[in-house]
């Protein structure tokens, strides 16, 4: 994973100032991918914050960001099975098919699940519930590199 840092609104200790950077994730196949640790590693500035707010925006229209259970892999399987059944590929009325039969269903899944999450930061850490994790849900059949714009407002 590589990280590009935007210097426009850099974090300055002691000053309320937005920090913004892009997080580049490696190619991942279709399915739910737990990315909580990758997000935390890409944002070492979080460690300096007592409290704040982290906004993550996926910069794509055929994958989703979501929070869900991070322990039992059956949850990931079941979520994937449900969303594939909810929005199947190959429906005859889809007109947007130039990029393949999985593209329009991927756009619909993204609209249903969303492309951003907001998470509090507490005592230098991403403040998730006991069983929560941050997931990238790749909807396309072929693996794609994905970028996340991270926006962080610290308390000091």
């Amino acid at each position: 994973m590589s990280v590009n840092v935007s210097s426009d609104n850099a974090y300055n200790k002691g000053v309320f100032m937005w920090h913004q950077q892009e997080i580049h994730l490696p190619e991942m196949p279709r399915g739910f991918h737990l990315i909580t640790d990758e997000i935390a590693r890409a944002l070492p500035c979080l460690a300096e914050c007592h409290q704040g707010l982290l906004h993550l925006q996926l910069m794509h229209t055929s994958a989703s960001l979501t929070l869900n259970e991070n322990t039992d892999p059956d949850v990931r399987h079941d979520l994937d099975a449900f969303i594939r059944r909810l929005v199947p590929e190959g429906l005859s009325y889809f007109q947007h098919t130039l990029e393949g039969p999985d593209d329009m269903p991927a756009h619909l899944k993204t609209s249903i699940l969303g492309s951003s999450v907001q998470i509090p930061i507490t005592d230098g850490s991403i403040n998730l519930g006991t069983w929560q994790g941050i997931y990238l849900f790749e909807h396309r059949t072929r693996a794609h590199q994905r970028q996340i714009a991270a926006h962080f407002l610290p308390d000091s």
Side-chain angles (χ1 to χ4, degrees):
M1 172 179 48
S2 65
V3 176
N4 294 337
V5 177
S6 168
S7 61
D8 290 343
N9 292 316
Y11 172 74
N12 293 324
K13 191 171 184 181
V15 178
F16 283 42
M17 190 172 234
W18 282 100
H19 171 85
Q20 179 177 331
Q21 74 183 57
E22 271 189 24
I23 301 169
H24 294 257
L25 299 172
E27 289 186 356
M28 296 181 204
R30 179 184 279 188
F32 275 90
H33 303 280
L34 186 62
I35 60 169
T36 309
D37 291 343
E38 287 89 342
I39 298 298
R41 276 194 299 274
L43 298 168
C45 61
L46 300 180
E48 300 175 31
C49 177
H50 175 66
Q51 63 183 12
L53 182 64
L54 176 63
H55 175 84
L56 301 173
Q57 172 69 39
L58 185 63
M59 307 303 289
H60 304 277
T61 60
S62 57
S64 299
L65 280 182
T66 189
L67 298 177
N68 217 296
E69 194 204 290
N70 66 357
T71 304
D72 186 349
D74 287 344
V75 171
R76 287 177 247 177
H77 170 272
D78 293 348
L79 288 167
D80 187 42
F82 175 80
I83 199 73
R84 283 194 203 200
R85 188 169 184 174
L86 183 65
V87 185
E89 293 178 13
L91 296 175
S92 62
Y93 53 83
F94 286 157
Q95 294 182 16
H96 178 71
T97 58
L98 245 114
E99 297 176 58
D102 65 336
D103 193 39
M104 190 59 221
H107 294 310
L108 288 168
K109 293 170 188 176
T110 299
S111 289
I112 292 167
L113 293 171
S115 59
S116 66
V117 294
Q118 293 73 228
I119 308 164
I121 303 303
T122 306
D123 296 328
S125 296
I126 298 171
N127 190 349
L128 295 170
T130 303
W131 307 111
Q132 284 184 318
I134 305 167
Y135 282 92
L136 172 77
F137 188 2
E138 177 59 60
H139 303 304
R140 299 296 304 270
T141 302
R142 186 175 62 84
H144 287 75
Q145 262 194 331
R146 301 298 187 177
Q147 289 78 38
I148 295 173
H151 307 270
F152 172 54
L153 181 61
D155 64 346
S156 59

